Amino acid sequence: MTTHAPLDRPDQPRRLRTAMFVDFDNVYIGLRRLDPDAAEAFATDPGHWLAELESGSDADGDFTRRFLVRACYLNPSVFSRFRPNFTRAGFQVVDCPSLTQQGKSSADINLVLDAVDALDGATRYDEFVIVSADADFTPLVQRCRAADRRVTIITASPAASAYRAVADTVITADDLAELVTAGATAETVEAEPAPEVVPEAAVSTAPLAPVTAPAAASAGSLAARRAVLQRVRSADRPVPTGAVAQAAQQADPTLPTTRWAGAGGFLPWLAQVVPELGVAARPSPGYVWDPKRFGEADLPGAASPAPGTDPTALQRQVIAVTDTPGLSKENYRVLLTTLADDVRAHPFERATTARRVRDACQEAGAAVGRSTVNFVISGVLYAGLELTSDVTAEDIAEAWADNVIGLCRGARMELTEADEQAIDDWVGGGLLDDPED
């Protein structure tokens, strides 16, 4: 008699039955604007990034994915050369030729139909992975969530906040670029400069320790540590302390009743169990971040307008619905001119350019963090501007302003002509007010 072992066993990580649907055209084109090398890696070696996605961790602990469905939808008249790569990696490749004079393919409708079939099929999929930044998939994601399925979206270009909000996990364009080139970027990560120092009064003063859990930590503390690291390292910005504390409590429900394992509170516990993370008590409600990726200048308070100024209602709405960094007009001017100066002096390379620009902005007294610089660079590239040695600050300002207005329209904001001019003036740092413009 033949028996079959269950997919999930107590002594092994959870195994998620996963269905993945890849909108190839959307991802490849978006990633190519951000990082051409990453786009080629995505298209030519899908087996690599698929393997990278096969394991992970969340608030409930470690898990592995079993990709029961791997479907890729592409336009064969443009991208047929990549079909063998996905076929070799075990994907079902669905040809979606253009059916209109405007060149739009049928990938969207084919993907949705197949995903709905999978949702209603005999096999219960624990997770649906939608690889696309197209907000048209929002109703599909909402339907998956309503059926109590975990949803992960992977984007390669700006995605509407409403689309990201309904997903359980979001892998951003920068995360995807790092994922698909993981082997090639190891040296770059090691070369990352030391993080900015947060003022002593605002930060947990526990000394940094090697990235290992304390030897005497309980199994519950180890689970909470893993949950905290996963929550913080997967975020695209510093995380509020409340959200991090919640992740720790979900992994180890005994923490509140034991006064955080005897530490007396969440922040002292964090300093003892996960000392390698950055922690700031201000601005309220406090934030936790990965020092390898962020620093003090990435905190929300650092991105606020200068003291004594008050953002307009329009600016507050743009920041809230598009995640546009809330820099002051003056700091935007510093950032845009510094970026223009850097690409005139050095060949553009996304990671190293962003580091140099961040450092130069901070030396100039502008509190601009790495996440803000990356957001602006990505927006400029998505707007179609090539960052070459002949680009001007005005060119960059115009492309960035166009991108922000595009994000506003994608979020269904109703903008008047005066609104657009106000946004141009703000995010363009005043550079678009020159007479020759």
Side-chain angles (χ1 to χ4, degrees):
M1 182 177 67
T2 301
T3 60
H4 297 278
L7 291 177
D8 299 300
R9 289 170 45 187
D11 60 337
Q12 293 183 340
R14 289 172 296 138
R15 178 173 291 185
L16 302 179
R17 301 171 181 85
T18 300
M20 170 180 278
F21 303 90
V22 180
D23 182 356
F24 180 89
D25 299 25
N26 179 278
V27 176
Y28 181 77
I29 293 172
L31 204 54
R32 188 169 56 188
R33 291 177 179 174
L34 178 66
D35 187 333
D37 291 337
E40 290 306 307
F42 167 80
T44 57
D45 193 5
H48 168 72
W49 53 262
L50 193 67
E52 293 289 322
L53 292 170
E54 285 182 348
S55 62
S57 62
D58 58 17
D60 296 323
D62 297 336
F63 64 81
T64 60
R65 289 184 173 100
R66 185 179 182 214
F67 291 101
L68 302 182
V69 173
R70 306 176 185 181
C72 175
Y73 305 82
L74 60 75
N75 186 340
S77 63
V78 182
F79 300 118
S80 61
R81 66 187 184 280
F82 297 123
R83 184 195 292 110
N85 302 328
F86 280 81
T87 301
R88 181 181 180 185
F91 280 82
Q92 174 192 5
V93 178
V94 181
D95 286 341
C96 302
S98 173
L99 302 176
T100 68
Q101 292 182 348
Q102 290 74 29
K104 181 174 176 58
S105 75
S106 57
D108 294 5
I109 188 63
N110 278 291
L111 189 156
V112 169
L113 289 173
D114 288 349
V116 170
D117 284 345
L119 185 62
D120 295 335
T123 301
R124 177 178 173 83
Y125 299 98
D126 303 308
E127 179 187 41
F128 284 74
V129 178
I130 311 298
V131 189
S132 177
D134 193 340
D136 289 346
F137 293 123
T138 302
L140 171 63
V141 176
Q142 290 172 329
R143 181 162 180 176
C144 291
R145 284 184 63 89
D148 192 23
R149 313 300 173 89
R150 174 190 175 107
V151 180
T152 294
I153 63 172
I154 301 176
T155 71
S157 55
S161 56
Y163 178 46
R164 291 184 281 110
V166 294
D168 294 285
T169 303
V170 179
I171 297 178
T172 65
D174 285 323
D175 296 331
L176 179 59
E178 293 179 7
L179 181 72
V180 300
T181 58
T185 58
E187 294 182 2
T188 301
V189 173
E190 292 298 323
E192 179 71 21
E196 302 89 344
V197 178
V198 182
E200 184 175 344
V203 183
S204 170
T205 56
L208 291 180
V211 187
T212 57
S218 66
S221 292
L222 291 174
R225 170 185 163 82
R226 286 195 299 268
V228 166
L229 287 174
Q230 191 278 334
R231 179 68 179 86
V232 174
R233 288 175 174 171
S234 64
D236 59 358
R237 67 196 66 194
V239 183
T241 53
V244 181
Q246 182 179 17
Q249 291 178 50
Q250 288 176 344
D252 183 2
T254 68
L255 287 174
T257 58
T258 60
R259 298 186 71 248
W260 290 90
F266 170 63
L267 291 182
W269 175 87
L270 193 67
Q272 292 178 12
V273 179
V274 203
E276 63 267 28
L277 296 180
V279 185
R282 295 189 298 271
S284 181
Y287 291 86
V288 182
W289 66 91
D290 179 0
K292 291 183 179 180
R293 301 166 60 220
F294 304 113
E296 178 189 2
D298 293 297
L299 297 176
S304 299
T309 65
D310 182 37
T312 66
L314 175 63
Q315 290 175 4
R316 287 194 293 269
Q317 186 180 19
V318 170
I319 294 167
V321 303
T322 69
D323 291 329
T324 294
L327 298 180
S328 65
K329 175 179 173 179
E330 292 73 19
N331 280 356
Y332 266 125
R333 189 181 188 100
V334 172
L335 171 54
L336 298 171
T337 55
T338 301
L339 177 56
D341 291 342
D342 188 89
V343 296
R344 281 198 297 269
H346 308 280
F348 173 71
E349 198 283 318
R350 189 171 56 91
T352 55
T353 297
R355 286 198 295 271
R356 287 194 302 264
V357 171
R358 176 199 60 186
D359 294 344
C361 286
Q362 294 182 4
E363 289 174 4
V368 178
R370 177 180 173 182
S371 61
T372 295
V373 176
N374 281 333
F375 196 98
V376 172
I377 288 177
S378 297
V380 168
L381 296 175
Y382 290 135
L385 181 67
E386 294 185 9
L387 294 176
T388 57
S389 59
D390 59 350
V391 75
T392 66
E394 290 76 12
D395 294 333
I396 296 175
E398 182 175 7
W400 169 237
D402 287 346
N403 178 77
V404 172
I405 290 175
L407 293 175
C408 292
R409 289 173 178 158
R412 302 299 187 266
M413 284 183 63
E414 296 182 0
L415 300 177
T416 65
E417 184 175 347
D419 290 338
E420 293 187 10
Q421 292 175 352
I423 293 172
D424 284 347
D425 179 58
W426 165 43
V427 302
L431 295 169
L432 302 181
D433 291 339
D434 295 338
E436 59 267 24
D437 293 323

